[in-house]
Amino acid sequence: MDDEAKTRCAQTVKLLGEFLDRELTTCEIETVQGHLDRCPPCLKVYRFEERVRRLVRVHCASDCAPSDLREQILARLKRPSLS
Amino acid sequence: MPVVTVVPRQGYSQSVMTLSESPRQPRAGVPPEERESFFEREVMQHLDALYRTALRMTRNPQDAEDLVQETMLRAFRFLDRFEPGTNLRAWLFKILTNTYINRYRKASSEPRVDSLDDSDGETSLYRYLDNEAASRGGSVEAQVLDRFAEQDIKTAIEALPPQYRITVLLADVEGFSYNDIAEITNVKKGTVMSRLFRGRRLLQKALVDQARSAGFAGGKQ
């Protein structure tokens, strides 16, 4: 791999966080997408990052508030002292 | 059609706590007579999201319930300062974060994270893991990712220093933009970005350490 290609890969990997966070501009997104289309090793890094992020989202979003918490909150804010 | 499709966020979200300048809404805040119905209808929708974040913040169900209760009561009291039409979800998470910091972090000092070396500029542990996995004749997916159970992920998240943990949760679980997270956590956008960068690396590192102690790469099986 020549130096220029290495630099492009390094730049792409550096931007993957913002890419996945949808914080890049349309132009930057196209640059990253274009590189991922042509570079299987960078695509693998992307898939890994995306997968870790999905694991975090899925597992941490699965907890629901206890059923009585809602009632407790509503009961507390209806106490006259709070109005 | 590209292999990977990502679209930019739509425009910029409104500032969380500043007042709208729209001339059609000269009065700020939810009017007192609408406070209860607004709270039950709009605010309570966010209970589960606030609770799961509180649970990761406090690492304890009872403390999480207390934190959410206090957050909700403060939100109710401050509703006259909330401008309807602005980002209610971000406003609530800002109250949650402030309440957490005031309540739980006064006594404890934040662990230092100087030990993390990111001078190599590599933002992903993937290549390193890939080499290790390949030397064992497998893939990162099969050897590392597939074996994480829900509790492993939660343990790794909860091991992060609080400021990193909160920032990663707001981005990865709740999907807030950098601008919203900056507003919610009272820091500059650049700080949000560096916390995310380091927080995610610490998280990956913790997951790899877990995988390794469970037998992946390096250990004798």
Side-chain angles (χ1 to χ4, degrees):
Chain A
M1 198 189 285
D2 61 40
D3 284 350
E4 205 182 311
K6 271 188 197 162
T7 307
R8 271 199 301 274
C9 291
Q11 281 170 347
T12 300
V13 170
K14 204 162 194 169
L15 286 176
L16 282 181
E18 289 161 74
F19 181 72
L20 281 161
D21 290 331
R22 301 192 295 138
E23 295 280 352
L24 296 179
T25 63
T26 308
C27 178
E28 290 169 319
I29 286 173
E30 281 169 9
T31 306
V32 173
Q33 276 171 343
H35 182 82
L36 294 179
D37 284 347
R38 291 187 305 271
C39 182
C42 283
L43 186 62
K44 281 178 126 181
V45 181
Y46 166 82
R47 298 265 186 239
F48 172 79
E49 292 290 327
E50 204 247 339
R51 181 106 189 262
V52 173
R53 214 167 286 201
R54 199 168 54 231
L55 281 174
V56 171
R57 190 173 59 242
V58 167
H59 290 318
C60 289
S62 63
D63 294 292
C64 297
S67 53
D68 57 347
L69 184 59
R70 184 188 162 87
E71 278 67 46
Q72 283 173 25
I73 291 167
L74 292 177
R76 274 185 72 178
L77 63 86
K78 279 172 183 159
R79 280 183 209 158
S81 61
L82 277 166
S83 307
Chain B
M1 189 67 185
V3 180
V4 173
T5 310
V6 161
V7 291
R9 288 177 185 276
Q10 291 300 307
Y12 292 95
S13 59
Q14 287 164 297
S15 185
V16 178
M17 288 192 108
T18 49
L19 301 177
S20 164
E21 287 171 27
S22 164
R24 291 166 57 210
Q25 294 179 306
R27 188 182 50 184
V30 177
E33 67 276 15
E34 291 170 23
R35 227 164 40 144
E36 276 194 28
S37 63
F38 182 88
F39 189 91
E40 288 194 37
R41 193 179 65 243
E42 305 290 337
V43 176
M44 287 304 275
Q45 280 184 34
H46 302 284
L47 183 65
D48 284 331
L50 292 166
Y51 176 77
R52 69 189 174 219
T53 305
L55 193 56
R56 296 283 95 71
M57 283 171 164
T58 61
R59 303 183 275 198
N60 170 320
Q62 188 53 55
D63 286 345
E65 282 196 44
D66 291 348
L67 176 58
V68 170
Q69 284 219 20
E70 193 177 333
T71 299
M72 286 304 210
L73 294 175
R74 289 179 72 180
F76 185 73
R77 282 190 210 114
F78 296 150
L79 269 186
D80 57 348
R81 299 188 208 168
F82 174 74
E83 175 80 17
T86 61
N87 192 338
L88 175 63
R89 195 159 171 270
W91 187 75
L92 292 171
F93 272 86
K94 187 180 173 80
I95 297 175
L96 177 77
T97 304
N98 285 341
T99 308
Y100 168 71
I101 289 169
N102 289 335
R103 194 172 167 151
Y104 293 95
R105 299 229 5 267
K106 270 179 183 159
S108 65
S109 60
E110 189 164 325
R112 295 174 67 91
V113 281
D114 298 343
S115 58
L116 181 69
D117 177 21
D118 34 55
S119 57
D120 59 4
E122 185 66 85
T123 61
S124 173
L125 290 185
Y126 179 81
R127 289 190 213 284
Y128 166 71
L129 289 172
D130 196 36
N131 286 339
E132 284 200 1
S135 73
R136 296 166 64 88
S139 68
V140 177
E141 285 71 20
Q143 293 192 20
V144 182
L145 291 179
D146 288 345
R147 55 198 297 167
F148 289 127
E150 180 166 340
Q151 196 50 52
D152 297 325
I153 304 280
K154 288 177 175 172
T155 303
I157 285 272
E158 290 179 359
L160 293 176
Q163 303 289 31
Y164 293 79
R165 194 187 329 145
I166 292 168
T167 309
V168 169
L169 288 170
L170 292 174
D172 289 0
V173 183
E174 304 306 330
F176 283 113
S177 69
Y178 294 172
N179 282 330
D180 283 344
I181 298 172
E183 193 73 46
I184 291 168
T185 57
N186 281 320
V187 295
K188 294 196 177 90
K189 188 172 162 183
T191 307
V192 171
M193 291 166 74
S194 73
R195 282 180 181 171
L196 274 179
F197 176 84
R198 303 192 96 197
R200 284 169 175 156
R201 278 206 52 169
L202 283 169
L203 179 71
Q204 289 186 6
K205 200 164 175 285
L207 289 171
V208 170
D209 289 346
Q210 279 186 27
R212 189 171 285 139
S213 66
F216 162 74
K220 301 263 187 293
Q221 285 192 322

